Amino acid sequence: MNKTWISVSVAAVAVGLIGSQADTAAAATLRVVDVNDTYTHGVFSGPDGTFEKLVPVSPGTYGLEARGGRQGARDWEIGVGTQTSHAGTFSENKYFDDDWGDGSTLHDLMMTWMPGEKVQVTIGDTTVSYEADWQVGNGIEILAKRSALFTLTELDGMAFNETVGEIGSNAGHTPLFLAGDSLLDGWILKGQIAMTAGGGSRNTVMITPGTFTPSDTASVPEPTSLLGLMALGALATGGRLKAILNRS
């Protein structure tokens, strides 16, 4: 009876390790990536690989552009579309919160990006959406310009605590890149945004999709590969224990 119990226990431990390793590999596929060392012809490159925007446009961006605008002016402050700042290619709305643009108040933001449907962004109680044949990649860039910041709290159901940008810094362009294959079927992003008022798009947060190519595709084992390796290890371990017990 003891021989059987030990063999089953080894197999159970192996199965537990397989599940744990598979879950870890799956979770690691959605992460912050370091691709911000160099920027050449629309492609960011760094230790983790490269990031390229799916649809590079200028001015504006392919996705969300939230900006400080000018207090008391009729500048739009939330724009969603295939090329924000270009007439006829995006939806816009004024954000009528008295604290918008003061630089010290954080406002809740939720963004929904689904292929072939509307891309929708809600800041506070204001919602803006734009319907198009949206492309979806395995990466996302969150860009904060000058005196603006964004704190990411959730992406595709996974919790984060990542802040990009800084109020009062006037530091130019500061990007945050995230990547994972789970983004390919669409995603929901949540966080908080703040900025100071500035003429036009001086202070801005932009969110847009891209394609991430890792520098080493073998750095994170696939769950199926781990399953096979751990199963072989469990069989080998069980066989050695049986042989030892049979000799005793």
Side-chain angles (χ1 to χ4, degrees):
M1 291 298 293
N2 288 338
K3 296 178 184 178
T4 304
W5 179 83
I6 292 174
S7 298
V8 171
S9 297
V10 170
V13 170
V15 170
L17 287 172
I18 293 167
S20 175
Q21 292 291 335
D23 290 343
T24 300
T29 59
L30 181 57
R31 60 193 177 98
V32 175
V33 292
D34 184 358
V35 295
N36 201 26
D37 279 2
T38 60
Y39 177 74
T40 306
H41 303 300
V43 179
F44 291 86
S45 301
D48 290 337
T50 60
F51 181 95
E52 183 174 6
K53 291 184 179 181
L54 281 180
V55 184
V57 295
S58 182
T61 194
Y62 182 85
L64 162 71
E65 182 177 359
R67 61 191 194 182
R70 290 173 294 182
Q71 290 179 340
R74 295 181 60 84
D75 291 341
W76 64 269
E77 293 172 341
I78 308 172
V80 177
T82 56
Q83 185 176 0
T84 59
S85 295
H86 185 76
T89 62
F90 72 102
S91 298
E92 60 186 86
N93 206 340
K94 183 80 172 176
Y95 186 50
F96 291 104
D97 191 299
D98 293 338
D99 296 327
W100 182 254
D102 68 4
S104 62
T105 305
L106 293 171
H107 301 264
D108 291 334
L109 180 148
M110 183 173 74
M111 183 173 186
T112 302
W113 194 299
M114 295 295 171
E117 300 180 13
K118 289 181 179 180
V119 166
Q120 180 170 291
V121 177
T122 299
I123 300 179
D125 297 326
T126 302
T127 296
V128 181
S129 63
Y130 190 81
E131 189 167 1
D133 186 17
W134 290 102
Q135 297 186 41
V136 182
N138 69 339
I140 297 173
E141 178 191 12
I142 302 174
L143 175 67
K145 290 174 58 179
R146 299 182 179 91
S147 185
L149 68 80
F150 181 78
T151 297
L152 176 69
T153 57
E154 183 180 317
L155 176 60
D156 206 30
M158 183 173 176
F160 283 88
N161 184 17
E162 298 287 340
T163 297
V164 58
E166 184 180 357
I167 296 296
S169 67
N170 198 30
H173 299 64
T174 307
L176 173 70
F177 298 95
L178 302 108
D181 288 346
S182 66
L183 301 174
L184 289 169
D185 61 354
W187 43 266
I188 295 176
L189 177 152
K190 297 179 182 180
Q192 293 185 310
I193 186 173
M195 61 184 64
T196 55
S201 59
R202 177 174 176 80
N203 304 308
T204 307
V205 169
M206 297 180 173
I207 302 177
T208 193
T211 299
F212 170 70
T213 303
S215 56
D216 182 4
T217 56
S219 60
V220 179
E222 292 296 325
T224 51
S225 301
L226 285 168
L227 182 65
L229 290 172
M230 293 299 295
L232 288 173
L235 289 173
T237 304
R240 288 195 298 271
L241 282 174
K242 288 179 181 179
I244 292 170
L245 289 170
N246 287 332
R247 287 199 303 268
S248 61

